């Protein structure tokens, strides 16, 4: 035992340095040894000296800053989602309280811009009773046989995320050149008739596939139910 200890004591610093240079992964493979080493806390950085404490502190600070920015972004997104969800619920209640088709149409057109924060909204339909109910004549008639319109009509999802510029022109006419992102709410009135509520935004990130649209689906159902009841009472 004493002999081994003497052998260890006889190893010079140069030999240790030589060994570490030759076995560069030694401290990585034996990282627990770093806890036994004592580094001066106030080493000044130079070309030949590495301040381990400083480097570790710098790394932790970088990680903390990254974590803070991620948390900040999550909180911002959650806040935006919370506000938008509340606004969709408000709009759904306002539509549920409308007394006729004209009031429903005006509520959608007016409140969508305020509550949903969109710059452009068009309502399109192939149902003449629905179109004639709009006293301001803002509802656009659209031929249901148009192939682009058929694509939306046949789509199973009640929300259509549109990225087709030629379809944009059909939905928004001259305003289409300003639209960077948009969705179409598809209301199926019957096997033949539809109402499309088109929301367009100048913000390319306003409507994306990553967003959740559960409450928008609820809004679609509210609008669909009200329109069906109003049209039924007109007959």
């Amino acid at each position: 035992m004493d002999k081994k200890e003497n052998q260890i004591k006889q190893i010079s610093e140069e030999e240790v340095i030589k060994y570490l240079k030759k076995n560069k992964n030694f401290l990585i493979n034996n990282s627990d040894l770093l806890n036994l080493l004592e580094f001066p806390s106030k080493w000044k950085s130079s070309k030949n000296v590495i301040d381990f404490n400083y480097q570790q502190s710098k790394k932790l600070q970088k990680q903390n800053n990254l974590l803070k920015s991620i948390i900040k972004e999550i909180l911002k997104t959650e806040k935006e989602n919370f506000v938008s969800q509340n606004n969709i619920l408000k709009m759904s209640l306002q539509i549920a309280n409308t007394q006729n088709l004209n009031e429903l149409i005006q509520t959608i057109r007016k409140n969508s811009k305020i509550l949903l924060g969109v710059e452009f909204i068009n309502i399109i339909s192939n149902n003449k009773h629905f179109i004639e109910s709009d006293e301001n004549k803002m509802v656009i008639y659209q031929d249901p046989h148009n192939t682009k319109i058929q694509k939306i009509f046949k789509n199973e999802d009640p929300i259509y995320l549109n990225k087709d510029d030629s379809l944009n022109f059909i939905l928004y006419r001259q305003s289409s050149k300003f639209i960077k992102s948009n969705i179409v709410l598809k209301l199926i009135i019957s096997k033949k008739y539809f109402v499309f509520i088109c929301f367009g935004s100048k913000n390319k990130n306003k409507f994306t596939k990553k967003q959740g649209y559960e409450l928008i689906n609820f809004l679609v159902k509210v609008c669909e139910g009200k329109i069906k009841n109003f049209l039924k009472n007109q007959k």
Side-chain angles (χ1 to χ4, degrees), residues 86-118:
N86 275 350
N87 287 341
I88 292 168
L89 283 174
K90 283 180 186 176
M91 187 169 169
S92 300
L93 288 172
Q94 289 170 354
I95 290 169
N97 289 325
T98 56
Q99 302 300 311
N100 54 61
L101 275 174
N102 180 63
E103 187 183 347
L104 180 144
I105 293 166
Q106 301 315 315
T107 298
I108 292 172
R109 290 192 62 83
K110 179 182 176 182
N111 294 352
S112 295
K113 290 187 177 182
I114 299 170
L115 294 176
L116 303 185
V118 293

Side-chain angles (χ1 to χ4, degrees), residues 159-210:
I159 299 169
Y160 187 80
L161 276 167
N162 174 42
K163 292 188 177 181
D164 185 338
D165 289 338
S166 59
L167 178 56
N168 271 355
F169 185 77
I170 296 171
L171 301 178
Y172 303 98
R173 308 298 171 90
Q174 297 301 323
S175 299
S176 61
K177 59 186 176 183
F178 303 109
I179 292 170
K180 303 300 181 184
S181 67
N182 71 100
I183 58 170
V184 180
L185 309 191
K186 182 180 69 176
L187 316 182
I188 302 302
I189 310 307
S190 68
K191 290 181 179 180
K192 293 193 300 180
Y193 298 116
F194 62 80
V195 174
F196 294 161
I197 304 173
C198 312
F199 297 131
S201 175
K202 293 179 181 179
N203 179 0
K204 66 178 182 179
N205 297 317
K206 182 68 178 179
F207 304 110
T208 65
K209 288 183 178 180
K210 294 180 181 179

Side-chain angles (χ1 to χ4, degrees), residues 116-135:
L116 303 185
V118 293
E119 295 87 0
F120 307 98
I121 172 169
N122 271 342
I123 303 175
I124 295 170
S125 181
N126 67 333
N127 184 289
K128 66 176 184 177
H129 295 296
F130 179 80
I131 294 170
E132 289 168 359
S133 298
D134 178 21
E135 294 176 4

Side-chain angles (χ1 to χ4, degrees), residues 5-52:
E5 285 180 356
N6 289 332
Q7 286 177 348
I8 291 171
K9 287 177 183 178
Q10 289 173 3
I11 296 175
S12 67
E13 286 187 15
E14 288 182 1
E15 289 175 308
V16 173
I17 293 170
K18 187 176 179 181
Y19 177 82
L20 290 175
K21 282 183 177 180
K22 189 176 179 180
N23 299 273
K24 295 180 180 180
N25 290 329
F26 177 79
L27 287 175
I28 295 173
N29 296 331
N30 300 275
S31 57
D32 54 313
L33 291 177
L34 291 172
N35 296 325
L36 303 175
L37 299 177
E38 293 182 4
F39 301 105
S41 59
K42 293 184 179 179
W43 274 358
K44 293 181 180 179
S45 44
S46 68
K47 289 183 180 179
N48 299 321
V49 180
I50 298 172
D51 186 342
F52 284 92

